[in-house]
Amino acid sequence: MSTIRRHSHMFISVSLAMFIVHGNQVGIGIAGVQRFIYDRVQQDAWIAVIIAGFMTHVAAWVMLKILRKYNNLDLYDIHQMVFGKWPAKVLNLIFIIYIMGSALTILRGYIEIIQSWMFPEVPSWILNASLLCLAIYGVTGGIRVLAGISFFSVGLTICQLLLMVYPMQYADFNLLQPVFHHDLVELLDGARKMSFSIIGFEIILFIYPFIKEKQLLSRYVHGGLLMTTLLYVVVMLVTLLYFQGEQLKHLIWATLMMMKIVEFPFLERFEFVSISLWMLIMLDNLLLNLWVAMRGVHHIGGFKERKALIGIVIVMFFASNFLETRQSINWITDIFGAVGFYIIFVYPLILYIVILLFRKGTVRT
């Protein structure tokens, strides 16, 4: 089990948990998730987003109940407490692979945007190496540095949200009719398609030992989830009001397409600026996932964290270079989106039931 005693400089304020949760949820997915939801429930896509947001609150509530049973332990340690050494190593390895896969899709998705919109001639390996070197520098700074990056990335997200007023000038509210045209099963299926874009709040399972004033964590976690839900609802509604249905079905990056109409007297092609600013938002996701994977490898293998991080980055560098086509990127995104739904929304409930049935009381550490 990992060491529980930590120095004061390793802790972060509980209020920063809201920014970490929100920042780890909002990433590359917001650039083009709209078409996947629209393909399922058309003009009711915004309702599916609200349902998905509600599901995140339920899943987060279960996660917080688990964490309160084991004060100052993260999920890696909880697995060992509940299942024993070797079953815990297997479960932790599954989570590490999932987290690394999520980081890989974030990295490769952003590189594809850069190559498609800005620098089509730049080889993937150069962009991979540049971003992963930044990631190493950021992760080695520790959880307090990552929390600061999350704070600024949320600010950038809000600033870009304000730019939605530009496409709203051309909104056609008739495109939202008829409302509630799809039944609950179809809406739930649409919400499930959004799962990969709205997950990320599972980060609380790993940052919990580093949080001050843990008794206040719940309000900030749910506050971060509410911010994310409102953001996606606004983006989804503006997208539905701006694009015709057949257009939306064929748009890979609907949000970026809307940014093309943003103009200033001193600046053209604002989408280039938007993509550049998106790097900090993407890096927030990437750094947090690498930090979690690094701690997992350190936990199950006993490697020093810096060496574990270098090993993970090398694996991701070569894996990312294999994903060169849109089909391969879609393939890995679909896989980890499906797996993520069960790991984030289903598994915590199973774990909580196991704890209630076989582990009585609260573990004080």
Side-chain angles (χ1 to χ4, degrees), residues 1 47 58 153 156 186 198 214 216 240 287 297 319 323 330 365:
M1 187 179 299
I47 303 174
V58 175
S153 73
L156 284 177
E186 292 172 316
I198 208 169
K214 294 178 174 60
L216 303 176
L240 292 172
L287 266 58
V297 173
L323 302 174
N330 282 341
T365 59

Side-chain angles (χ1 to χ4, degrees), residues 103-174:
L104 179 62
T105 58
I106 293 165
L107 175 66
R108 195 61 191 87
Y110 183 69
I111 289 174
E112 185 190 22
I113 290 176
I114 293 176
Q115 290 177 321
S116 300
W117 287 75
M118 298 178 68
F119 305 113
E121 302 300 324
V122 177
S124 298
W125 70 268
I126 293 179
L127 296 172
N128 273 320
S130 302
L131 292 172
L132 288 173
C133 286
L134 281 175
I136 292 174
Y137 181 74
V139 173
T140 53
I143 185 63
R144 291 168 68 94
V145 171
L146 302 186
I149 294 173
S150 295
F151 178 82
F152 285 107
S153 73
V154 171
L156 284 177
T157 302
I158 294 173
C159 290
Q160 297 214 38
L161 177 64
L162 296 177
L163 297 173
M164 292 290 106
V165 298
Y166 283 88
M168 279 300 293
Q169 300 175 66
Y170 308 98
D172 181 1
F173 286 88
N174 292 321

Side-chain angles (χ1 to χ4, degrees), residues 39-300:
D39 188 54
R40 290 295 190 273
V41 287
Q42 288 78 52
Q43 72 278 0
D44 287 334
W46 63 277
I47 303 174
V49 173
I50 294 175
I51 294 174
F54 174 76
M55 291 166 57
T56 63
H57 284 277
V58 175
W61 178 82
V62 175
M63 291 177 185
L64 289 169
K65 296 290 284 186
I66 293 172
L67 292 170
R68 286 170 184 151
K69 285 281 185 179
Y70 299 89
N71 286 352
N72 292 326
L73 298 185
D74 61 14
L75 183 64
Y76 296 133
D77 288 325
I78 291 173
H79 279 158
Q80 188 167 331
M81 292 284 291
V82 175
F83 299 107
K85 181 178 179 180
W86 292 106
K89 285 182 179 292
V90 174
L91 289 171
N92 289 341
L93 181 61
I94 292 173
F95 264 86
I96 292 169
I97 293 172
Y98 166 71
I99 294 294
M100 288 180 61
S102 298
L104 179 62
T105 58
I106 293 165
L107 175 66
R108 195 61 191 87
Y110 183 69
I111 289 174
E112 185 190 22
I113 290 176
I114 293 176
Q115 290 177 321
S116 300
W117 287 75
M118 298 178 68
F119 305 113
E121 302 300 324
V122 177
S124 298
W125 70 268
I126 293 179
L127 296 172
N128 273 320
S130 302
L131 292 172
L132 288 173
C133 286
L134 281 175
I136 292 174
Y137 181 74
V139 173
T140 53
I143 185 63
R144 291 168 68 94
V145 171
L146 302 186
I149 294 173
S150 295
F151 178 82
F152 285 107
S153 73
V154 171
L156 284 177
T157 302
I158 294 173
C159 290
Q160 297 214 38
L161 177 64
L162 296 177
L163 297 173
M164 292 290 106
V165 298
Y166 283 88
M168 279 300 293
Q169 300 175 66
Y170 308 98
D172 181 1
F173 286 88
N174 292 321
L175 296 175
L176 292 180
Q177 301 296 327
V179 182
F180 296 106
H181 183 66
H182 299 82
D183 59 33
L184 182 60
V185 174
E186 292 172 316
L187 290 173
L188 289 173
D189 186 44
R192 184 182 61 82
K193 292 298 294 183
M194 190 186 174
S195 59
F196 188 72
S197 297
I198 208 169
I199 58 179
F201 59 93
E202 70 276 6
I203 189 69
I204 62 174
L205 294 169
F206 305 98
I207 66 170
Y208 187 74
F210 302 90
I211 298 291
K212 299 177 183 177
E213 300 178 299
K214 294 178 174 60
Q215 68 276 11
L216 303 176
L217 180 61
S218 179
R219 68 180 67 173
Y220 290 104
V221 169
H222 288 289
L225 294 174
L226 181 60
M227 286 171 57
T228 304
T229 303
L230 292 175
L231 171 66
Y232 274 107
V233 169
V234 170
V235 171
M236 192 73 243
L237 279 171
V238 174
T239 304
L240 292 172
L241 293 170
Y242 183 75
F243 292 109
Q244 296 285 339
E246 289 303 314
Q247 288 179 302
L248 187 53
K249 286 182 179 180
H250 298 92
L251 288 177
I252 299 177
W253 298 292
T255 305
L256 290 179
M257 290 298 294
M258 289 190 291
M259 291 294 176
K260 290 185 70 173
I261 70 169
V262 178
E263 292 184 355
F264 296 100
F266 55 88
L267 179 66
E268 293 185 2
R269 301 303 300 269
F270 180 81
E271 69 272 17
F272 289 176
V273 178
S274 180
I275 292 170
S276 302
L277 294 176
W278 232 320
M279 185 177 73
L280 181 59
I281 299 172
M282 181 280 303
L283 274 177
D284 182 30
N285 281 214
L286 183 62
L287 266 58
L288 287 169
N289 280 279
L290 288 178
W291 180 82
V292 171
M294 175 191 72
R295 286 183 52 79
V297 173
H298 165 71
H299 191 282
I300 68 173

